[in-house]
Amino acid sequence: MVWKFYSVVLVLLVFVLNGCCVVTRPPSAAAFMNSNAKDLSGDVIGLAYYSGDLVHEVIHDKNLSGNNDERDSYEWPADFTYTHFFNYKNFSASLGLQTVVPFLQLGFVSKYVGVLGWMAGLGGIMAIEQLPLNENWKIGIAEHFSMNGFESRLKESDCGGGFGPTGACIGSPDPIYYTEVGVGAYLSYKSFAIEFRYGHDISESRNRFIFYLNWMFSVSKKEKQEEWIWR
């Protein structure tokens, strides 16, 4: 089956890419709650846009590594996420990619509440409360605590003595991590969801705002499959 092929590809990506990059941010609460079904296997794609006090700075410091170096730090303003869920009763496990970062999710999911933990080098935990308005519409709120990260590189200004080709020495990656607490709310219609989240960086007192769009598709379920596939 197609979803089995996706699963194998994701597992391989996790092993190949794990350790290459650990920059990650909390996953979508709405996408996780939309996976609520017994014996379900399905895929979610999502797009996230970030604003607020994002990091984008260059620091000159000769003491960074003993040389006259620069640290270039920045946060991506957007993420594309793909997640494949495997659910059995109220237990949920999923593998996915947040842009280029592989991650693993585990949790408890039901019609009204969910508890989600994730790991991608770093990770966090999220509590979710949901209220179904009718068969198709749902609203929910979520609270999270996480360890996030953003890109940072040390760029050696004397690399190659100025005689090397442009871009030949971009420096070594040195991600910076921060602790975040936050809250969010979402609205779901069938397999679609919109979500807004606020996160406070307690490490550097920064405020970040996130807007998500999610769609769940190619769902495989033994019973009532038509309720989960968009039509």
Side-chain angles (χ1 to χ4, degrees):
M1 295 177 65
V2 175
W3 69 265
K4 291 183 179 179
F5 172 77
Y6 289 157
S7 304
V8 172
V9 171
L10 278 173
V11 170
L12 290 175
L13 283 172
V14 168
F15 282 102
V16 170
L17 297 176
N18 190 30
C20 298
C21 183
V22 293
V23 176
T24 185
R25 292 178 274 202
S28 168
F32 177 71
M33 294 302 286
N34 267 345
S35 73
N36 174 36
K38 293 182 179 179
D39 304 322
L40 174 145
S41 176
D43 304 277
V44 175
I45 56 174
L47 181 65
Y49 172 75
Y50 303 88
S51 63
D53 302 324
L54 302 184
V55 175
H56 191 186
E57 59 190 11
V58 176
I59 301 175
H60 301 267
D61 189 343
K62 65 180 180 180
N63 296 318
L64 285 174
S65 63
N67 298 317
N68 190 18
D69 289 354
E70 296 180 354
R71 178 188 290 276
D72 186 4
S73 303
Y74 58 94
E75 289 187 72
W76 303 338
D79 275 319
F80 174 81
T81 303
Y82 168 77
T83 312
H84 183 80
F85 286 91
F86 309 85
N87 283 14
Y88 177 71
K89 295 184 178 180
N90 292 111
F91 175 76
S92 175
S94 57
L95 295 170
L97 288 173
Q98 187 181 88
T99 306
V100 296
V101 182
F103 64 88
L104 168 68
Q105 293 182 169
L106 297 172
F108 170 88
V109 61
S110 69
K111 188 176 181 180
Y112 298 102
V113 296
V115 179
L116 167 64
W118 66 93
M119 180 174 61
L122 303 176
I125 189 168
M126 182 183 299
I128 310 165
E129 302 82 39
Q130 179 173 270
L131 176 63
L133 301 178
N134 55 40
E135 183 181 355
N136 296 321
W137 291 92
K138 295 168 287 186
I139 58 175
I141 58 175
E143 308 83 32
H144 76 272
F145 176 86
S146 63
M147 288 291 295
N148 307 339
F150 55 84
E151 298 281 1
S152 184
R153 287 182 177 271
L154 291 176
K155 303 201 296 186
E156 297 179 1
S157 58
D158 60 349
C159 178
F163 297 102
T166 301
C169 185
I170 61 174
S172 58
D174 185 28
I176 294 178
Y177 311 118
Y178 62 92
T179 304
E180 181 179 277
V181 293
V183 295
Y186 64 86
L187 174 67
S188 296
Y189 174 72
K190 293 185 177 180
S191 55
F192 292 93
I194 58 174
E195 182 175 350
F196 175 80
R197 179 182 298 153
Y198 162 73
H200 179 67
D201 175 354
I202 61 179
S203 301
E204 295 188 356
S205 191
R206 295 176 180 269
N207 297 305
R208 295 174 174 86
F209 305 92
I210 305 99
F211 178 74
Y212 289 94
L213 291 174
N214 293 291
W215 175 42
M216 190 170 206
F217 66 102
S218 67
V219 176
S220 174
K221 186 176 181 292
K222 293 180 180 179
E223 297 178 359
K224 299 182 179 179
Q225 181 173 345
E226 69 276 3
E227 294 182 6
W228 288 86
I229 298 181
W230 176 74
R231 60 188 185 280

